[in-house]
Short mmCIF file of all heavy atoms in Angstrom, two decimals:
data_model
loop_
_atom_site.label_atom_id
_atom_site.label_comp_id
_atom_site.label_asym_id
_atom_site.label_seq_id
_atom_site.Cartn_x
_atom_site.Cartn_y
_atom_site.Cartn_z
N ASP A 352 77.62 97.04 89.08
CA ASP A 352 78.72 97.18 90.03
C ASP A 352 80.07 97.08 89.34
O ASP A 352 81.06 97.66 89.78
CB ASP A 352 78.64 96.09 91.10
CG ASP A 352 77.34 96.18 91.89
OD1 ASP A 352 77.12 97.24 92.51
OD2 ASP A 352 76.57 95.21 91.88
N ILE A 353 80.10 96.26 88.26
CA ILE A 353 81.35 96.01 87.53
C ILE A 353 81.11 96.16 86.03
O ILE A 353 80.07 95.72 85.51
CB ILE A 353 81.86 94.58 87.82
CG1 ILE A 353 82.28 94.44 89.29
CG2 ILE A 353 83.03 94.21 86.91
CD1 ILE A 353 82.67 93.02 89.68
N LEU A 354 82.06 96.78 85.36
CA LEU A 354 82.06 96.84 83.90
C LEU A 354 83.34 96.19 83.41
O LEU A 354 84.44 96.58 83.81
CB LEU A 354 81.99 98.29 83.41
CG LEU A 354 82.10 98.51 81.89
CD1 LEU A 354 80.91 97.89 81.16
CD2 LEU A 354 82.22 99.99 81.55
N ALA A 355 83.23 95.17 82.55
CA ALA A 355 84.40 94.47 82.01
C ALA A 355 84.42 94.62 80.50
O ALA A 355 83.42 94.33 79.83
CB ALA A 355 84.36 92.99 82.40
N ILE A 356 85.54 95.09 79.96
CA ILE A 356 85.66 95.34 78.52
C ILE A 356 86.99 94.77 78.03
O ILE A 356 88.03 94.96 78.63
CB ILE A 356 85.63 96.85 78.20
CG1 ILE A 356 84.32 97.48 78.66
CG2 ILE A 356 85.82 97.08 76.70
CD1 ILE A 356 84.29 99.00 78.49
N GLY A 357 86.92 94.07 76.91
CA GLY A 357 88.13 93.67 76.19
C GLY A 357 88.03 94.19 74.77
O GLY A 357 87.03 93.97 74.11
N GLU A 358 89.04 94.89 74.29
CA GLU A 358 88.95 95.49 72.96
C GLU A 358 90.11 95.08 72.05
O GLU A 358 91.20 94.75 72.52
CB GLU A 358 88.93 97.03 73.05
CG GLU A 358 87.56 97.60 73.29
CD GLU A 358 86.56 97.28 72.20
OE1 GLU A 358 86.90 96.60 71.20
OE2 GLU A 358 85.39 97.69 72.34
N LYS A 359 89.84 95.13 70.76
CA LYS A 359 90.90 94.99 69.77
C LYS A 359 91.76 96.25 69.79
O LYS A 359 91.33 97.31 70.26
CB LYS A 359 90.30 94.79 68.38
CG LYS A 359 89.51 93.50 68.21
CD LYS A 359 89.00 93.39 66.78
CE LYS A 359 88.24 92.08 66.58
NZ LYS A 359 86.98 92.04 67.31
N THR A 360 92.94 96.15 69.22
CA THR A 360 93.89 97.25 69.28
C THR A 360 93.32 98.53 68.71
O THR A 360 93.41 99.59 69.35
CB THR A 360 95.18 96.86 68.53
OG1 THR A 360 95.71 95.66 69.12
CG2 THR A 360 96.22 97.96 68.63
N ILE A 361 92.71 98.48 67.53
CA ILE A 361 92.26 99.72 66.90
C ILE A 361 91.08 100.36 67.63
O ILE A 361 90.78 101.53 67.40
CB ILE A 361 91.90 99.53 65.41
CG1 ILE A 361 90.72 98.56 65.24
CG2 ILE A 361 93.08 99.06 64.62
CD1 ILE A 361 90.15 98.58 63.83
N TYR A 362 90.43 99.62 68.52
CA TYR A 362 89.29 100.17 69.25
C TYR A 362 89.64 100.49 70.70
O TYR A 362 88.75 100.69 71.53
CB TYR A 362 88.11 99.19 69.22
CG TYR A 362 87.61 98.87 67.84
CD1 TYR A 362 87.53 97.56 67.38
CD2 TYR A 362 87.22 99.88 66.96
CE1 TYR A 362 87.07 97.25 66.11
CE2 TYR A 362 86.76 99.59 65.69
CZ TYR A 362 86.69 98.27 65.27
OH TYR A 362 86.24 97.99 64.01
N TYR A 363 90.92 100.55 71.02
CA TYR A 363 91.27 100.75 72.43
C TYR A 363 90.75 102.09 72.95
O TYR A 363 90.39 102.21 74.12
CB TYR A 363 92.79 100.65 72.63
CG TYR A 363 93.56 101.93 72.42
CD1 TYR A 363 93.78 102.81 73.48
CD2 TYR A 363 94.07 102.26 71.17
CE1 TYR A 363 94.49 103.99 73.30
CE2 TYR A 363 94.78 103.44 70.98
CZ TYR A 363 94.98 104.30 72.04
OH TYR A 363 95.66 105.48 71.86
N LYS A 364 90.69 103.12 72.07
CA LYS A 364 90.19 104.42 72.52
C LYS A 364 88.71 104.34 72.87
O LYS A 364 88.24 105.02 73.80
CB LYS A 364 90.43 105.48 71.45
CG LYS A 364 91.89 105.89 71.33
CD LYS A 364 92.08 107.00 70.32
CE LYS A 364 93.54 107.42 70.23
NZ LYS A 364 93.77 108.46 69.21
N GLU A 365 87.95 103.53 72.12
CA GLU A 365 86.54 103.33 72.46
C GLU A 365 86.42 102.64 73.82
O GLU A 365 85.54 102.95 74.62
CB GLU A 365 85.84 102.52 71.37
CG GLU A 365 85.22 103.33 70.25
CD GLU A 365 86.25 103.89 69.28
OE1 GLU A 365 87.40 103.42 69.30
OE2 GLU A 365 85.91 104.81 68.51
N GLY A 366 87.32 101.67 74.08
CA GLY A 366 87.33 101.02 75.38
C GLY A 366 87.62 102.00 76.50
O GLY A 366 86.92 102.03 77.52
N PHE A 367 88.64 102.83 76.32
CA PHE A 367 88.97 103.84 77.32
C PHE A 367 87.79 104.79 77.53
O PHE A 367 87.44 105.14 78.66
CB PHE A 367 90.18 104.65 76.86
CG PHE A 367 91.51 103.96 77.06
CD1 PHE A 367 91.58 102.65 77.51
CD2 PHE A 367 92.70 104.63 76.79
CE1 PHE A 367 92.81 102.01 77.69
CE2 PHE A 367 93.92 104.01 76.97
CZ PHE A 367 93.98 102.70 77.41
N ARG A 368 87.17 105.20 76.43
CA ARG A 368 86.06 106.16 76.54
C ARG A 368 84.89 105.56 77.32
O ARG A 368 84.24 106.25 78.12
CB ARG A 368 85.61 106.60 75.14
CG ARG A 368 84.51 107.64 75.15
CD ARG A 368 84.20 108.12 73.74
NE ARG A 368 83.02 108.98 73.72
CZ ARG A 368 82.52 109.53 72.62
NH1 ARG A 368 83.11 109.33 71.45
NH2 ARG A 368 81.44 110.30 72.67
N ALA A 369 84.63 104.26 77.09
CA ALA A 369 83.53 103.60 77.81
C ALA A 369 83.84 103.50 79.30
O ALA A 369 82.96 103.72 80.15
CB ALA A 369 83.28 102.22 77.22
N PHE A 370 85.08 103.17 79.64
CA PHE A 370 85.47 103.12 81.06
C PHE A 370 85.32 104.50 81.71
O PHE A 370 84.83 104.62 82.84
CB PHE A 370 86.92 102.65 81.19
CG PHE A 370 87.13 101.17 81.00
CD1 PHE A 370 88.11 100.70 80.14
CD2 PHE A 370 86.37 100.25 81.71
CE1 PHE A 370 88.32 99.34 79.98
CE2 PHE A 370 86.57 98.89 81.56
CZ PHE A 370 87.55 98.43 80.68
N GLU A 371 85.76 105.53 81.00
CA GLU A 371 85.68 106.89 81.54
C GLU A 371 84.23 107.34 81.69
O GLU A 371 83.87 108.00 82.69
CB GLU A 371 86.46 107.84 80.63
CG GLU A 371 87.97 107.62 80.74
CD GLU A 371 88.74 108.19 79.55
OE1 GLU A 371 88.08 108.71 78.61
OE2 GLU A 371 89.98 108.10 79.55
N LEU A 372 83.40 106.98 80.73
CA LEU A 372 81.98 107.30 80.82
C LEU A 372 81.36 106.62 82.05
O LEU A 372 80.59 107.24 82.80
CB LEU A 372 81.26 106.86 79.55
CG LEU A 372 79.74 106.95 79.55
CD1 LEU A 372 79.28 108.41 79.68
CD2 LEU A 372 79.15 106.32 78.28
N ALA A 373 81.68 105.35 82.26
CA ALA A 373 81.12 104.61 83.39
C ALA A 373 81.52 105.24 84.72
O ALA A 373 80.69 105.38 85.63
CB ALA A 373 81.59 103.15 83.33
N LYS A 374 82.79 105.65 84.86
CA LYS A 374 83.25 106.28 86.10
C LYS A 374 82.58 107.63 86.31
O LYS A 374 82.31 108.04 87.46
CB LYS A 374 84.76 106.46 86.06
CG LYS A 374 85.56 105.21 86.37
CD LYS A 374 85.50 104.84 87.86
CE LYS A 374 86.46 103.69 88.14
NZ LYS A 374 86.36 103.22 89.53
N LYS A 375 82.30 108.32 85.21
CA LYS A 375 81.67 109.63 85.33
C LYS A 375 80.25 109.52 85.86
O LYS A 375 79.84 110.26 86.76
CB LYS A 375 81.67 110.34 83.97
CG LYS A 375 81.14 111.77 84.03
CD LYS A 375 81.07 112.41 82.64
CE LYS A 375 79.70 112.13 82.03
NZ LYS A 375 79.49 112.86 80.75
N VAL A 376 79.48 108.57 85.33
CA VAL A 376 78.07 108.47 85.72
C VAL A 376 77.87 107.57 86.94
O VAL A 376 76.87 107.70 87.65
CB VAL A 376 77.20 107.99 84.54
CG1 VAL A 376 77.30 108.97 83.38
CG2 VAL A 376 77.56 106.59 84.10
N LEU A 377 78.81 106.66 87.18
CA LEU A 377 78.74 105.75 88.34
C LEU A 377 80.11 105.71 89.01
O LEU A 377 80.91 104.80 88.78
CB LEU A 377 78.33 104.33 87.88
CG LEU A 377 76.99 104.18 87.17
CD1 LEU A 377 76.86 102.79 86.57
CD2 LEU A 377 75.84 104.45 88.13
N PRO A 378 80.42 106.68 89.85
CA PRO A 378 81.77 106.81 90.42
C PRO A 378 82.26 105.58 91.18
O PRO A 378 83.48 105.36 91.27
CB PRO A 378 81.64 108.02 91.37
CG PRO A 378 80.49 108.81 90.82
CD PRO A 378 79.54 107.79 90.27
N ASP A 379 81.37 104.76 91.72
CA ASP A 379 81.79 103.60 92.50
C ASP A 379 81.95 102.33 91.67
O ASP A 379 82.29 101.27 92.21
CB ASP A 379 80.78 103.32 93.62
CG ASP A 379 80.75 104.44 94.65
OD1 ASP A 379 81.82 105.06 94.85
OD2 ASP A 379 79.69 104.69 95.24
N ILE A 380 81.71 102.41 90.36
CA ILE A 380 81.80 101.22 89.51
C ILE A 380 83.24 100.72 89.48
O ILE A 380 84.20 101.49 89.60
CB ILE A 380 81.29 101.53 88.09
CG1 ILE A 380 80.97 100.23 87.34
CG2 ILE A 380 82.31 102.35 87.30
CD1 ILE A 380 80.24 100.43 86.03
N ILE A 381 83.41 99.41 89.35
CA ILE A 381 84.74 98.78 89.22
C ILE A 381 84.94 98.43 87.76
O ILE A 381 84.17 97.65 87.18
CB ILE A 381 84.84 97.53 90.10
CG1 ILE A 381 84.71 97.92 91.58
CG2 ILE A 381 86.17 96.79 89.85
CD1 ILE A 381 84.48 96.75 92.50
N ASN A 382 85.97 99.00 87.14
CA ASN A 382 86.25 98.79 85.72
C ASN A 382 87.38 97.79 85.54
O ASN A 382 88.47 97.95 86.09
CB ASN A 382 86.64 100.12 85.05
CG ASN A 382 85.44 101.02 84.80
OD1 ASN A 382 84.33 100.53 84.63
ND2 ASN A 382 85.67 102.32 84.77
N ILE A 383 87.11 96.74 84.76
CA ILE A 383 88.09 95.68 84.52
C ILE A 383 88.35 95.57 83.03
O ILE A 383 87.43 95.38 82.23
CB ILE A 383 87.58 94.33 85.06
CG1 ILE A 383 87.24 94.44 86.55
CG2 ILE A 383 88.60 93.23 84.81
CD1 ILE A 383 86.58 93.18 87.11
N ALA A 384 89.62 95.71 82.65
CA ALA A 384 90.02 95.56 81.25
C ALA A 384 90.62 94.18 81.04
O ALA A 384 91.22 93.59 81.94
CB ALA A 384 91.05 96.64 80.89
N GLY A 385 90.45 93.63 79.84
CA GLY A 385 91.02 92.33 79.51
C GLY A 385 91.18 92.19 78.01
O GLY A 385 91.00 93.15 77.25
N GLY A 386 91.52 90.99 77.58
CA GLY A 386 91.68 90.77 76.15
C GLY A 386 93.07 91.09 75.65
O GLY A 386 93.95 91.54 76.38
N VAL A 387 93.25 90.90 74.35
CA VAL A 387 94.59 90.90 73.77
C VAL A 387 95.30 92.24 73.88
O VAL A 387 96.49 92.30 74.20
CB VAL A 387 94.53 90.42 72.30
CG1 VAL A 387 93.70 91.35 71.44
CG2 VAL A 387 95.93 90.27 71.73
#
């Protein structure tokens, strides 16, 4: 139901890509970003 990701600066694109992938395959998922 929820995907929570916190990434380091150099991996922010991987974080974005994972959030976008989750929304694509599970449109109702709630994506929460955190971390530095």
